[in-house]
Amino acid sequence: MTSLSRSGRLTRNNIPVDAVSKLSQIQWREFDIFDRTSENRAKLAELLGDADAVVHSLGAATEAVPGYKKVVNSRIDSLGPVLGQIVCDKLRSPDGNPLEKKPTGASNSEESALEKLNFESAKILADEFAAAVKGENASTKDAAAATSASRPFVYISADEQHAISDEYIRTKRLAEHYVGTRPELRGVYLRPGFMVDSKTGAGASLCDSTVRDGLGMLFKTRERVLGGPAVLDVRDVAAAAIEAVADPLVQGPIGLSALKKYKDSM
């Protein structure tokens, strides 16, 4: 298994003990999907040529709150400095003074950022993977196998019930639709809601937990008491992705309720 990211490394510090050995078997590679130079495209083509499947998990929920990922992954007891740095970075930016009037349509920057991360990244990856599959099929001697062969492309999408904005869902659905237009690929679109890692937050006090863990506790309480949308563990979504890759009959969108049933059946 190979993981591609801009950092090329595992960035989380609080890794559960039972996951260390598994994570050490992954090849961590530095890669920028938006670098469209011939050298970078050749590197991606080489990686995808040997790939049995692709799982796309790049994306963002909002760009309206700068640095929100840093916030949700920070420990609750260390939020002060983190928030302070984000505010200072925002104020130093050219359009960062909240006291200045912003032109109507300032939200266009968020729209373009979400479309780039949620849709364009998936489009680029789908195109390159489809080209690799098409090239391999063209070289096979079995014409019937070549025309029927397709490779799984699992896209981590989102369920509307936990959506932060309409734009977020719109860009996710755009990506789903585009992957579905590539006959070389078997598109599978997992649509979880809010996700937590139960291993990192297990047994920890609220102050020792991350903001994501704290929100997960609140959402899980709401789910139990009020019957709100299901909160899934990232491990359960990962297991569903592996199952989707392995089962050639799985295709199309897999909604939150179906993911919840899958988790309960394990």
Side-chain angles (χ1 to χ4, degrees), residues 152 154 186-190 240-241 243-254:
V154 180
R186 173 168 60 85
V188 180
Y189 322 115
L190 303 185
E243 183 79 15
V245 166
D247 189 342
L249 298 179
V250 176
Q251 189 166 359
I254 310 295

Side-chain angles (χ1 to χ4, degrees), residues 15-264:
I15 302 170
V17 175
D18 66 330
V20 173
S21 61
K22 295 177 183 177
L23 292 173
S24 65
Q25 299 173 36
I26 298 174
Q27 296 183 50
W28 304 92
R29 301 284 295 271
E30 183 179 350
F31 189 81
D32 183 356
I33 192 69
F34 299 112
D35 179 355
R36 304 301 289 151
T37 60
S38 57
E39 180 183 358
N40 211 50
R41 292 188 67 178
K43 184 195 298 185
L44 182 59
E46 181 182 352
L47 289 166
L48 293 176
D50 295 330
D52 297 314
V54 163
V55 177
H56 179 287
S57 61
L58 171 65
T62 179
E63 288 299 312
V65 182
Y68 83 94
K69 286 190 176 182
K70 190 172 183 180
V71 171
V72 298
N73 290 315
S74 297
R75 280 169 46 121
I76 291 174
D77 60 1
S78 65
L79 266 183
V82 173
L83 290 173
Q85 184 62 51
I86 289 172
V87 170
C88 289
D89 289 344
K90 180 65 176 173
L91 289 174
R92 291 190 190 105
S93 67
D95 62 344
N97 190 339
L99 299 180
E100 293 180 358
K101 284 188 176 182
K102 301 292 187 300
T104 58
S107 61
N108 288 343
S109 60
E110 179 184 8
E111 181 178 332
S112 60
L114 289 179
E115 190 155 315
K116 180 178 181 180
L117 291 171
N118 296 337
F119 167 61
E120 289 181 20
S121 63
K123 180 179 183 296
I124 292 170
L125 191 57
D127 285 343
E128 296 291 348
F129 192 33
V133 174
K134 193 173 183 178
E136 185 171 314
N137 287 348
S139 64
T140 188
K141 294 180 179 179
D142 187 342
T147 54
S148 63
S150 63
R151 300 278 180 85
F153 187 106
V154 180
Y155 178 75
I156 308 301
S157 190
D159 181 83
E160 289 89 344
Q161 297 178 79
H162 279 152
I164 289 179
S165 68
D166 292 340
E167 182 62 19
Y168 173 59
I169 289 297
R170 184 187 75 84
T171 53
K172 287 287 190 180
R173 298 295 180 263
L174 268 178
E176 293 180 11
H177 175 75
Y178 187 81
V179 172
T181 66
R182 302 304 315 233
E184 304 88 352
L185 308 179
R186 173 168 60 85
V188 180
Y189 322 115
L190 303 185
R191 296 177 176 177
F194 191 85
M195 291 185 286
V196 296
D197 188 340
S198 59
K199 293 289 185 180
T200 60
S205 68
L206 186 60
C207 287
D208 291 331
S209 302
T210 64
V211 174
R212 179 189 294 276
D213 293 332
L215 289 172
M217 293 177 197
L218 292 175
F219 285 142
K220 281 186 173 181
T221 300
R222 185 183 69 170
E223 180 188 349
R224 287 195 304 268
V225 176
L226 301 176
V231 176
L232 296 177
D233 194 300
V234 290
R235 293 159 182 257
D236 296 327
V237 177
I242 294 171
E243 183 79 15
V245 166
D247 189 342
L249 298 179
V250 176
Q251 189 166 359
I254 310 295
L256 179 57
S257 59
L259 288 170
K260 176 71 164 53
K261 288 179 181 177
Y262 172 75
K263 174 231 174 186
D264 293 341

